[in-house]
Amino acid sequence: MRLTDFWARLEQTFGPAYAGSIAADQVLPQLDGQTIRQALEAGEETVVVWRAVCAAYPDRVPARLR
């Protein structure tokens, strides 16, 4: 998954303003206690990070974006 696709999905799921907050502030256990931004900056693949988002917010991520 391309990084631009990742950010588009995150914004579609949470809205443009809240997506940035989720990425910077929410620590996800699926990412070994890192935030989304930290994981991406550390070189984690976007598909792995997206799967972590889907696991952390199963009721929020639409099925079409999984």
Side-chain angles (χ1 to χ4, degrees):
M1 172 187 308
R2 298 174 80 139
L3 191 56
T4 53
D5 294 333
F6 173 86
W7 288 112
R9 287 179 184 210
L10 199 66
E11 287 185 5
Q12 288 176 39
T13 300
F14 297 103
Y18 192 45
S21 176
I22 290 286
D25 300 329
Q26 296 295 312
V27 172
L28 301 182
Q30 299 88 344
L31 297 174
D32 296 326
Q34 297 181 84
T35 66
I36 292 169
R37 286 197 184 273
Q38 289 171 331
L40 291 172
E41 289 171 2
E44 189 63 70
E45 292 183 36
T46 54
V47 69
V48 171
V49 177
W50 183 248
R51 287 181 186 144
V53 171
C54 292
Y57 301 97
D59 296 335
R60 188 77 189 241
V61 180
R64 65 181 173 79
L65 295 179
R66 290 181 183 258

